[in-house]
Amino acid sequence: MPRPCRSVDPVPSVFFSPITQTVLLQKKVRQSIICQATEESGRLRPHWRSVKPWSPARSRETVMQAAARRPRTNHLDLAQRILDVARQRGFEPGARLPEQQIASLCNVSRTPVRAALSLLAEQGVVRWEADSGYHLAIDLTAQPAISAELPAAEEDELAEAILRDRSARRLDQTVTAAGLMRRYNADRKTVLKALNKLTEENLLDRAPGQSWLFRRAPDDPEAQGESYEFRLLLEPAAILTPGFRLDGARAAALRQGMEALSALPDGAFDTREFQRLDIDFHGMIADGCANHFLADALSDHLRLRRLPGIYAGVNVFRLKQSLREHLNMLDHLESRQYEVAADLLRIHLRLSRSQRPQAASRGAPALFGMISRPDRRGNN
């Protein structure tokens, strides 16, 4: 039962000033309204005094809810690593994904693995069974672009936006955290995380003060030509370096992904997935090189190729042709025919260069002008 309302004026109003009497009258009116609502509803409706005070528990709950809406970057990265491991080891739909085994393969503890698997479960990539844990729910070879469907952390989205605007020349070569905060209406913590991410990927260099400097990227015809000249010098040499080793599991996963992507019709061709496979294929060659200086130089340069717009203007026919060239090179690499693979790589790079918009007008020599090599008798 609702409690009866008590009188508001314990003291006669004649003892108060006109202003005080007005305040007391307003208070009395408010209490009358509350009492009326109490009688109608059978309970006292809350007003501003009934708001719960701040407490650490409620604060943690709010933070946890916000975190649930936006996944953490390390969990997203680990989710992608789990997919890569599953591809490399040929996991089929229904394969069990033990947390301890995944943690050992990814060199992390079980706690982030559990969070990453939960994230994949939300996307339908894995499924949870109470009696046996997580299982792979899809065929990764039939869905090569599943990584593009994962949600992005806030700093990752901001980093991508920064790269897109730089590629479109909407950003100068030098940027500051304060300027990016204003441009993207983002808080300082998120901006600094995005800048640190791009710096770790060698896409930005830290400049004096609070500035960052974009590195030279192959995002215009002249820079693309220089990029191919650099790669023509180093990538075939990486294959021919004594001690070159091919990662068999990685090669098998790449083969599955490239075959699946090349089998898609032109209208369904995923350029972003091609970019991932292309970078990973050439990255595999760099990682297989036994010369660490050569491998590091190639790996740093290949990171620049993830910028938006790198594949703009290249038609699907050429991209599918490029996948077939990758598969042909992979056949010879797996057979340890390294000299043939190096020659095929030179042809591949020159074909890709000639297909770039405006790149053929830079006076490049004939297609096979740089792949002939004198034999041991000194004849061409």
Side-chain angles (χ1 to χ4, degrees), residues 173-194:
Q173 188 174 10
T174 302
V175 294
T176 64
L180 295 176
M181 289 168 60
R182 291 191 298 269
R183 178 180 180 86
Y184 299 103
N185 192 27
D187 59 87
R188 184 175 184 82
K189 182 179 179 180
T190 303
V191 169
L192 290 178
K193 283 185 177 181

Side-chain angles (χ1 to χ4, degrees), residues 87-249:
R87 284 194 184 96
Q88 292 170 7
R89 295 185 171 264
F91 286 3
E92 297 181 351
R96 187 167 174 265
L97 301 172
E99 293 178 5
Q100 186 58 54
Q101 180 185 5
I102 297 298
S104 300
L105 292 172
C106 298
N107 195 27
V108 295
S109 65
R110 292 180 62 179
T111 300
V113 167
R114 193 175 297 113
L117 289 172
S118 177
L119 178 61
L120 291 173
E122 292 176 1
Q123 303 300 313
V125 181
V126 303
R127 68 175 184 274
W128 163 260
E129 297 181 2
D131 56 342
S132 56
Y134 287 99
H135 294 258
L136 188 64
I138 65 169
D139 185 356
L140 292 175
T141 61
Q143 300 187 44
I146 187 63
S147 59
E149 299 177 4
L150 292 176
E154 189 174 2
E155 58 267 25
D156 292 336
E157 292 180 348
L158 179 58
E160 291 296 327
I162 292 172
L163 292 180
R164 285 195 302 270
D165 285 348
R166 174 55 188 167
S167 180
R169 296 298 187 269
R170 290 189 289 266
L171 286 174
D172 295 332
Q173 188 174 10
T174 302
V175 294
T176 64
L180 295 176
M181 289 168 60
R182 291 191 298 269
R183 178 180 180 86
Y184 299 103
N185 192 27
D187 59 87
R188 184 175 184 82
K189 182 179 179 180
T190 303
V191 169
L192 290 178
K193 283 185 177 181
L195 290 173
N196 289 334
K197 175 182 175 65
L198 296 176
T199 302
E200 291 172 358
E201 295 178 357
N202 292 322
L203 299 172
L204 282 177
D205 290 323
R206 185 67 184 267
Q210 297 296 318
S211 301
W212 280 260
L213 184 68
F214 284 100
R215 297 186 66 187
R216 181 75 187 276
D219 55 356
D220 62 71
E222 182 178 358
Q224 287 173 2
E226 293 177 358
S227 172
Y228 278 107
E229 290 170 2
F230 177 85
R231 296 174 64 193
L232 277 165
L233 289 171
L234 297 188
E235 281 198 54
I239 295 177
L240 298 177
T241 300
F244 176 86
R245 297 185 62 181
L246 182 70
D247 186 336

